[in-house]
Amino acid sequence: MSIESITERITREAEAYGADQKARAEAAKQTTLDDARRKAEEIKADRKKDAERDCQVLKDRRASVADLESRKMKLAAKQEVIEESFEKAVEKLQALDDNEYQKFVSGLLEEFRDGGGEILVNEKDRDRMASVLSSGFAGTGLVLADESADIKGGFILRRGNISYNASLEKLLDNVKAEATSEIAKLLFEEA
């Protein structure tokens, strides 16, 4: 064999070997790319599922918060209606004619008949109360105080350092504390 034929044979083998290595490298490259694409698709699908789950959790939370806010608003509206009802009750008591109002206040004063004390009323009720004290409670030690009280109606009885608050506001606050749930049932009973 000649050198040329040996060189040619080595060149052919080298080219064949190079082509084979190139084909193997291309196949390995393609396998790696296919694996990477498959993994990328899996990651993408997992991320999509996570995003959908997170989105649903967020929607559920927002719906829950909206529901809670709605219930708070309904409760506030109901409480406002109840409060307005009590304010109207105070207005109705204030609007009683003198005779009815005097009977009402006399009934409240009755339990304080024996202990005496100063009666504080608002400016508007001063004449009405003077009449009640002079007619029904003469000699009991209950007297009309010189100063007025900042109340809507009723009275405050002062005995030394002790005061008894029988103002319309306080009386209705006491009723409100006891009766709010029953009032709410009557006003907002769902059919």
Side-chain angles (χ1 to χ4, degrees):
M1 268 214 207
S2 73
I3 287 200
E4 287 179 2
S5 66
I6 293 175
T7 307
E8 193 177 302
R9 190 175 120 224
I10 292 174
T11 302
R12 270 188 308 210
E13 284 177 8
E15 285 175 357
Y17 180 75
D20 183 52
Q21 289 300 319
K22 185 177 178 182
R24 285 184 189 188
E26 281 295 321
K29 174 180 130 183
Q30 194 59 45
T31 301
T32 302
L33 285 174
D34 290 344
D35 287 346
R37 282 189 190 105
R38 189 177 22 70
K39 286 181 183 177
E41 288 299 319
E42 288 173 6
I43 291 170
K44 184 177 167 183
D46 288 346
R47 295 291 187 260
K48 184 177 179 183
K49 285 179 189 174
D50 290 347
E52 288 171 353
R53 186 184 65 244
D54 291 348
C55 182
Q56 189 60 46
V57 166
L58 185 59
K59 283 181 184 177
D60 292 346
R61 283 184 188 161
R62 286 190 176 166
S64 178
V65 167
D67 183 51
L68 180 62
E69 286 300 316
S70 171
R71 283 188 273 152
K72 281 182 182 178
M73 290 172 68
K74 285 179 185 176
L75 179 61
K78 288 178 180 181
Q79 288 173 334
E80 187 176 325
V81 169
I82 290 170
E83 192 63 37
E84 286 175 12
S85 299
F86 279 99
E87 286 174 16
K88 286 186 182 192
V90 168
E91 290 171 11
K92 284 188 177 194
L93 287 170
Q94 289 173 311
L96 289 174
D97 66 46
D98 285 350
N99 189 35
E100 289 296 315
Y101 187 78
Q102 289 169 344
K103 283 182 191 176
F104 172 73
V105 173
S106 292
L108 295 174
L109 276 171
E110 201 55 48
E111 74 176 279
F112 302 107
R113 177 180 283 283
D114 297 331
E118 284 186 297
I119 305 295
L120 288 92
V121 295
N122 66 24
E123 201 58 46
K124 178 183 170 196
D125 290 345
R126 184 166 287 288
D127 291 336
R128 292 203 245 190
M129 289 302 296
S131 166
V132 168
L133 291 174
S134 65
S135 65
F137 293 90
T140 62
L142 291 172
V143 295
L144 193 57
D146 291 333
E147 71 254 29
S148 297
D150 186 21
I151 57 176
K152 292 182 180 182
F155 61 89
I156 296 174
L157 172 67
R158 187 169 53 200
R159 290 181 177 158
N161 292 337
I162 299 173
S163 293
Y164 300 94
N165 189 343
S167 66
L168 295 180
E169 302 96 296
K170 183 64 176 173
L171 294 172
L172 287 175
D173 275 349
N174 292 342
V175 169
K176 189 186 333 179
E178 296 170 9
T180 297
S181 65
E182 289 179 42
I183 291 168
K185 284 178 190 173
L186 290 172
L187 289 174
F188 308 111
E189 191 171 87
E190 295 185 40

